[in-house]
Amino acid sequence: MELTLDSPLDMHLHLRDGDMLKLTAPLSADFAGAVIMPNLVPPVTTPDMMLAYAERVREALDGAAFTPYMTLFFTALGEKELTAAASAPGFFGFKLYPAGITTNSEGGVSNLTEAEHTLRLMEETGIPLLVHGESHGFVMDREQEFLSVYRHLASTYPKLRICMEHITTAAAVELLDEFPNLCATVTLQHLLITLDEVAGGMLQPHLFCKPIAKRPADREALLQAALSGHPRLMFGSDSAPHPRCKKEACGCAAGVFTAPVALPKLAELFTTHGAADKLQDFVSGNACRLYGLTPTPKKVTLSDSPMQVPSRYCSFGQEVVPMYAGQTLPWSIKA
Ligand code: DOR
Ligand code: ZN
């Protein structure tokens, strides 16, 4: 069996910088483009930083037909700065992190009132707001607790396009249907695993991410929303590579490196559930419609012939372990 996708997009991707960028970028090059996260050290906060980073991303991709949709780390900005950002080539939107909520987010927002003016301007200008939606509460409740913030944002700024990034709960899926200006991304791992896979047996550091994987009912709700073709749900891998020594460590960094297996696993997931016809919209169509994107034309054919996942990727002095390291997957990308 084969499945051909038109211009698949990854609507949430961490590529990092330097040698790690050189290693990871080519592993996403089967996608036609991706929304590139700005949580570098220091975070990408100005158009100049963003343009320079986009250039490094393109260099790392070495001529691949791949569009980096660039984001800026949300900070409170005035009209002049916002206009400059909006007109920077390749700019896609702002990524808002609550301060300290995840990797390199210390400079995020600690009080939403400081963001009000900027959010109003973004609403008027049509700039998308991408949000890491977690509170600082108990780890399993963080997303659920943040839903009131989404409600507040969606009703206060009814024309602001708000993306709930990497949703992990049934409650977040339900919230999508309350507000037409909300959309969401969901990762591969949150469609596949629960907290049991992370910590139910021996601790699996390579499956540890934020938000943490939740309960079976949450995974089921996410999966059903994806398989049924929810029009405002998009694939965003949140593939977040960390050096192996930072994952297999006392004090494990959060992030699952899924880029190399994302498309084969999605093909497997959608075909085994009889939903192959819904995959195109999930990996591209919904994003193109919601954000008005016209990605680089690219056809990617997947087939049900096995893929041997490397136990690690090593180059440029970096070592990263992918999800399903060392395993054989039933689907692969046809060369
Ligand atoms: O697990 C995660 N890793 N969640 C995030 O929000 C950030 C990401 C990273 O950058 O490592
Ligand atoms: Zn992320």
Side-chain angles (χ1 to χ4, degrees), residues 68-92:
Y69 297 101
M70 302 304 294
T71 59
L72 281 170
F73 190 97
F74 182 97
T75 51
L77 296 179
E79 192 167 354
K80 221 173 124 193
E81 296 156 304
L82 209 72
T83 313
S87 56
F91 174 66
F92 179 79

Side-chain angles (χ1 to χ4, degrees), residues 14 16 39 102-103 132 166 209-210 238 240 242 254-255:
H14 298 267
R16 314 302 189 201
N39 59 334
T102 189
T103 313
H132 182 116
H166 44 57
C209 65
K210 292 189 176 170
D238 198 13
H242 289 277

Side-chain angles (χ1 to χ4, degrees), residues 205-258:
H206 297 292
L207 298 180
F208 170 63
C209 65
K210 292 189 176 170
I212 196 137
K214 302 290 187 316
R215 296 174 174 78
D218 293 309
R219 176 187 53 185
E220 194 54 31
L222 296 165
L223 190 57
Q224 286 316 316
L227 297 174
S228 67
H230 193 298
R232 276 180 283 125
L233 188 61
M234 301 166 277
F235 177 63
S237 72
D238 198 13
S239 177
H242 289 277
R244 182 173 163 224
C245 60
K246 293 268 166 66
K247 293 292 289 176
E248 298 176 7
C250 181
C252 165
V256 184
F257 181 47
T258 53

Side-chain angles (χ1 to χ4, degrees), residues 2-294:
E2 284 191 358
L3 203 56
T4 297
L5 296 172
D6 282 317
S7 302
L9 298 173
D10 181 346
M11 297 305 287
H12 184 134
L13 178 64
H14 298 267
L15 289 178
R16 314 302 189 201
D17 209 346
D19 287 335
M20 187 60 103
L21 169 64
K22 290 181 194 154
L23 182 156
T24 60
L27 297 171
S28 281
D30 287 313
F31 286 91
V35 175
I36 311 299
M37 291 298 127
N39 59 334
L40 306 182
V41 185
V44 183
T45 49
T46 68
D48 282 349
M49 291 170 92
M50 188 197 83
L51 292 173
Y53 183 39
E55 193 46 44
R56 297 196 295 280
V57 168
R58 269 188 285 272
E59 268 169 36
L61 280 154
D62 197 21
F66 178 99
T67 306
Y69 297 101
M70 302 304 294
T71 59
L72 281 170
F73 190 97
F74 182 97
T75 51
L77 296 179
E79 192 167 354
K80 221 173 124 193
E81 296 156 304
L82 209 72
T83 313
S87 56
F91 174 66
F92 179 79
F94 282 97
K95 174 72 186 288
L96 188 153
Y97 291 92
I101 202 68
T102 189
T103 313
N104 306 334
S105 64
E106 291 72 20
V109 173
S110 34
N111 184 347
L112 256 192
T113 51
E114 71 197 50
E116 279 169 8
H117 181 57
T118 312
L119 294 174
R120 188 64 74 198
L121 291 169
M122 285 171 64
E123 182 184 34
E124 287 162 10
T125 332
I127 299 175
L129 175 72
L130 319 180
V131 183
H132 182 116
E134 287 195 286
S135 74
H136 287 278
F138 177 64
V139 66
M140 286 292 279
D141 297 335
R142 285 178 188 176
E143 183 173 287
Q144 182 108 26
E145 286 176 2
F146 197 86
L147 297 184
S148 59
V149 180
Y150 281 130
R151 271 196 196 91
H152 166 76
L153 290 172
S155 54
T156 311
Y157 310 98
K159 295 217 166 74
L160 181 63
R161 280 178 295 172
I162 303 165
C163 187
M164 304 192 285
E165 295 294 330
H166 44 57
I167 58 170
T168 60
T169 57
V173 175
E174 281 169 27
L175 187 64
L176 264 183
D177 295 325
E178 277 182 45
F179 297 96
N181 55 331
L182 288 180
C183 61
T185 57
V186 65
T187 72
L188 179 71
Q189 68 266 24
H190 293 112
L191 295 174
L192 290 164
I193 66 168
T194 69
L195 186 59
D196 251 7
E197 277 77 21
V198 186
M202 287 173 82
L203 189 65
Q204 300 300 316
H206 297 292
L207 298 180
F208 170 63
C209 65
K210 292 189 176 170
I212 196 137
K214 302 290 187 316
R215 296 174 174 78
D218 293 309
R219 176 187 53 185
E220 194 54 31
L222 296 165
L223 190 57
Q224 286 316 316
L227 297 174
S228 67
H230 193 298
R232 276 180 283 125
L233 188 61
M234 301 166 277
F235 177 63
S237 72
D238 198 13
S239 177
H242 289 277
R244 182 173 163 224
C245 60
K246 293 268 166 66
K247 293 292 289 176
E248 298 176 7
C250 181
C252 165
V256 184
F257 181 47
T258 53
V261 298
L263 288 169
K265 282 303 289 185
L266 286 175
E268 177 194 344
L269 192 62
F270 277 66
T271 53
T272 50
H273 286 88
D277 60 322
K278 299 291 195 292
L279 185 54
Q280 179 65 46
D281 279 348
F282 181 61
V283 288
S284 188
N286 291 347
C288 291
R289 194 188 63 258
L290 289 163
Y291 289 119
L293 306 177
T294 328

